[in-house]
Amino acid sequence: MAALRQLITKCVHTNQLMLSNRISFPQVRYISTTLKQMTERKHIQLTYRDEVAVIKIDSPNSKVNTLSREMFPEFTSALEEVSKNENCRGVVLISGKTSGFIAGADIKMIESCKTQDEIYQLSKMGQKIFFDMESSKKPIVSAIMGPCLGGGLEVALATHYRIAVNDNKTVVGLPEVKLGLLPGSGGTQRLPRLVSVPDALDMALTGKMVKAKKAKSLGLVDMLVEPLGPGVSSPENRTLEYLEDVAVQVTRRLAKDGVKQKKKALMRNLTDKAFEYQFVRNYVFNQVKSKIMGQTKGLYPAPLKILEVVKTGIEKGPEAGYEAEAKGFSELGMTSESKALINLFHGHTSCKKNRFGNPQIEAKNIGVLGAGLMGAGIASVSIDKGYNVILKDMSNAGLTRGFNQIAKTLKAAVKRKRFSQIQADQITSRLSPQLTFDKFDKLDMIIEAVFEDINIKHRVLKEVESITLPHCIFASNTSALPIGDIAKGSSRPEKVIGMHYFSPVEKMELLEIITTDVTSKDTIASAVQVGLKQGKVVIVVKDGPGFYTTRILSVASAELFNLFQEGVEPKEIDRASKAFGFPVGNATLLDEVGIDVASHIAEYLSKALGESASSRAGIPILRDLVKNGYTGRKAGKGVYIYEAGVKGSDRQVNPGFYEIINKYRLDAPASIKNDTETIQWRLASKFINEAVLCLQEGIVASPTEGDIGAVFGLGFPPMKGGPFKFVDLYGAGKIVDRLKSFEQVYGASFKPCDLLADYAKDSSKKFYSS
């Protein structure tokens, strides 16, 4: 049975998946113009080389190519022209840009659809075009350089042969699941024909990108070409020209000899045979479904729909599979989850740009003060992206610990084949660990990650300002202390800024930049530029107690302690918050952040923000926990007990935690039943209300940055789009009603802010226009 089970996990479909000679597609009016030969094309260039048509995809005024309504008629007319040209023996599809093949379909096509039927017709349009390509009697070859994603990969899947450049920039993937969608132009049906079903599901369900070499081993790519070095033109241009030459030669050979079916390996044939049995298919798909439910809690409809559609194609044949794909695509396109994730995608793209422009002096040399967990993480993401970094600490032990953390990160990256050992050594060479301020007079920016004490930060600031260049920026990684207060210790306050990273820095994508009234625009531009180069998604907020992210998290955490006081079990809180969509339960998050850190922040913010950030006994409880050494995961005890080999829900609640909570125990009000829904909304409504209040007060610049900060920094459920998009989708009125119901019981801490109350009165008011 063990051998059979191993075989099953590698199972793929058999000959029943092969396309029949003809699939019926309904008549679809999919373009606004007729498909006559176009004399002027903006997105497509058609030339001929040695009886081979070369169709270059090159969208104007865009860094990348996307499949759009404007491109489709040009694309289809070029294919029609080629098919009618008797002197043409084959076709090469290639990008006219060195930046990539096709990055995907234009999301605006989906967003412009008002009904499910419109989205269905959009899917059928893509299916029809790509089926015609696949049915072409003339061989069509995809020449891939750079990203080939989503609709771009669906184009390549419909061609007869795929050639890819063997470099780190050339990747293929189907990321539609990340937008709450499924591949809607044949991807769910063609991918399982080329690779094993487990591999096809892995790509479609995770949206992960696969490098060219891996794609070749999977059977997704037929041939690799090596990139060229510099010459008369740039390496990128030379490689693209070489790729075209190779593709033309291959197309001529295929036109002469025909497209031969690749011989399958023995294991592939065995698994094909195994997959003919219904019980094998059921076992595989049930296992995958169980894993999806375990990871998503059923909150994301797209993965389940993808699984269903792939299974339909395998069991009922391609015609049923394509129909299920189009219906599934149209259903998902109308869900709130997809709308939220698409909006989040736009926000992410927006926060990957520097709206403050380029700084006068580009930062190249960075100093990091403090080699602790945060300081070492900041240094790591900086040297990784080409910065020269001086990492300073007060002790050799601290430097050693920080250096080892960086070395461990690089070792893991080499193991994952992100880069080679030689490249890792080159990256390490950019790091200078030291105990002194030597060479600090050459730095463009200093990022401090020292203890959260205003006096320590003032002392460090004055010390470095006496030896640094006039243009050198001083950035503080504080998570709560006002930047304005820190800047009071500076002789150059316009050069002082907050750069709030999230732990672990190497994994957490958000960077929250905090500005004061005197921070110069050039300082902001430089900080944003550094953050973007470090690979972060950046939001820029105004100075204030807790800024944006720490503030809204602290307000929600205050309610967490009220729940503890009322006797709600930590595990029940974790289950409820995860069922709402948070990746980590709120009680567990307290341990992850560190109860000592939470206590320090709570002491400060409860004074600065008043009742909204206060709980009935949160401060005393935190003090007692810290006093007893219950500071969270790092101490082995916090809310939970942390033991080797014990994970997740198997962890036991710390008996010492119960002893402290029982000292402050209060009965819940008679009108409150702390069931799952009540727990969720006591936490979420305060989180959302405080986020909107931050927009009202001008702390956060826009709903977009507010949502990005909440999702990528604090784990607000992505399928809800962030607090602002969630208000739009769920309804401000319903959220205000929940707040008011809690306000009647618990008082002003649940009072809806004016902006949210205003939106509740007028349902036409939205934070986003669509």
Side-chain angles (χ1 to χ4, degrees), residues 420-687:
S420 67
Q421 185 59 54
I422 293 175
Q423 290 172 314
D425 293 340
Q426 290 172 337
I427 291 170
T428 305
S429 70
R430 302 187 193 115
L431 179 68
S432 300
Q434 60 187 53
L435 298 174
T436 68
F437 286 106
D438 185 38
K439 296 183 181 179
F440 265 58
D441 58 345
K442 302 291 192 299
L443 299 179
D444 304 303
M445 176 181 286
I446 294 171
I447 304 172
E448 68 84 3
V450 300
F451 188 70
E452 289 282 82
D453 183 291
I454 192 69
N455 295 319
I456 294 175
K457 293 184 186 293
H458 277 168
R459 188 179 73 244
V460 169
L461 174 56
K462 290 177 180 178
E463 203 167 3
V464 298
E465 276 192 343
S466 66
I467 55 176
T468 53
L469 295 168
H471 75 268
C472 184
I473 293 168
F474 184 88
S476 175
N477 179 49
T478 180
S479 57
L481 294 177
I483 302 303
D485 288 354
I486 295 173
K488 289 177 181 177
S490 171
S491 60
R492 304 192 293 261
E494 74 282 357
K495 290 293 181 182
V496 178
I497 197 166
M499 293 179 73
H500 179 203
Y501 294 84
F502 293 75
S503 181
V505 181
E506 299 90 341
K507 294 181 179 179
M508 293 293 285
E509 195 175 359
L510 186 72
L511 170 61
E512 182 181 31
I513 290 177
I514 306 100
T515 68
T516 70
D517 292 338
V518 298
T519 309
S520 70
K521 181 181 177 182
D522 188 66
T523 298
I524 303 171
S526 185
V528 174
Q529 185 182 71
V530 168
L532 293 176
K533 189 174 178 180
Q534 289 171 333
K536 302 299 181 183
V537 55
V538 179
I539 65 171
V540 180
V541 304
K542 290 289 183 68
D543 193 20
F547 322 130
Y548 173 65
T549 55
T550 302
R551 174 174 167 176
I552 58 178
L553 179 61
S554 296
V555 168
S557 295
E559 194 58 27
L560 172 66
F561 283 92
N562 289 335
L563 288 166
F564 285 155
Q565 264 192 288
E566 292 176 14
V568 181
E569 287 287 333
K571 288 191 176 186
E572 184 59 34
I573 293 172
D574 278 349
R575 278 192 290 268
S577 47
K578 290 176 76 172
F580 190 77
F582 282 92
V584 178
N586 286 61
T588 297
L589 182 62
L590 180 63
D591 276 351
E592 296 288 345
V593 170
I595 292 174
D596 52 338
V597 175
S599 178
H600 179 78
I601 293 173
E603 294 264 10
Y604 166 68
L605 289 183
S606 61
K607 297 175 184 176
L609 297 176
E611 192 168 3
S612 67
S614 303
S615 60
R616 286 163 296 189
I619 301 294
I621 292 171
L622 284 165
R623 287 174 182 166
D624 284 358
L625 288 169
V626 173
K627 183 179 178 181
N628 284 273
Y630 303 147
T631 56
R633 174 190 281 274
K634 59 191 174 187
K637 287 184 179 181
V639 176
Y640 294 102
I641 295 175
Y642 294 86
E643 298 174 313
V646 182
K647 296 181 179 181
S649 59
D650 292 334
R651 293 192 188 100
Q652 298 301 308
V653 178
N654 178 12
F657 169 80
Y658 281 134
E659 290 177 11
I660 292 170
I661 289 295
N662 287 337
K663 288 165 52 180
Y664 302 93
R665 185 79 163 77
L666 290 174
D667 291 332
S671 60
I672 293 294
K673 181 183 178 183
N674 282 318
D675 55 13
T676 296
E677 185 177 4
T678 301
I679 294 169
Q680 290 172 339
W681 280 103
R682 284 180 66 176
L683 295 167
S685 63
K686 292 189 80 170
F687 187 111

Side-chain angles (χ1 to χ4, degrees), residues 244-379:
E244 182 181 326
D245 291 341
V246 172
V248 168
Q249 293 174 18
V250 169
T251 305
R252 292 181 66 195
R253 174 173 58 80
L254 294 176
K256 178 182 177 182
D257 301 334
V259 180
K260 298 178 181 178
Q261 188 172 6
K262 289 186 291 186
K263 187 177 180 180
K264 295 179 183 178
L266 175 61
M267 178 57 73
R268 180 66 182 267
N269 285 321
L270 287 173
T271 51
D272 279 357
K273 188 65 179 175
F275 219 78
E276 290 180 2
Y277 296 96
Q278 181 72 46
F279 84 93
V280 173
R281 297 195 297 271
N282 288 343
Y283 177 84
V284 171
F285 283 101
N286 288 338
Q287 287 289 101
V288 174
K289 184 175 181 179
S290 177
K291 183 170 285 189
I292 290 172
M293 292 301 296
Q295 293 179 359
T296 70
K297 314 301 179 189
L299 296 170
Y300 293 85
L304 293 171
K305 184 60 69 173
I306 289 171
L307 187 67
E308 175 190 319
V309 168
V310 170
K311 186 178 182 182
T312 297
I314 291 173
E315 295 194 334
K316 298 183 179 179
E319 186 163 352
Y322 281 112
E323 179 63 18
E325 179 184 83
K327 286 184 177 179
F329 185 72
S330 64
E331 291 169 6
L332 291 173
M334 296 301 292
T335 61
S336 61
E337 290 85 359
S338 179
K339 294 178 189 300
L341 291 168
I342 287 173
N343 192 73
L344 208 56
F345 169 81
H346 289 314
H348 188 275
T349 302
S350 173
C351 291
K352 279 288 188 178
K353 299 175 182 177
N354 192 343
R355 58 186 171 95
F356 297 92
N358 294 321
Q360 295 175 9
I361 300 175
E362 181 183 356
K364 295 181 180 178
N365 302 301
I366 295 175
V368 178
L369 300 177
L373 183 68
M374 296 300 293
I378 295 167

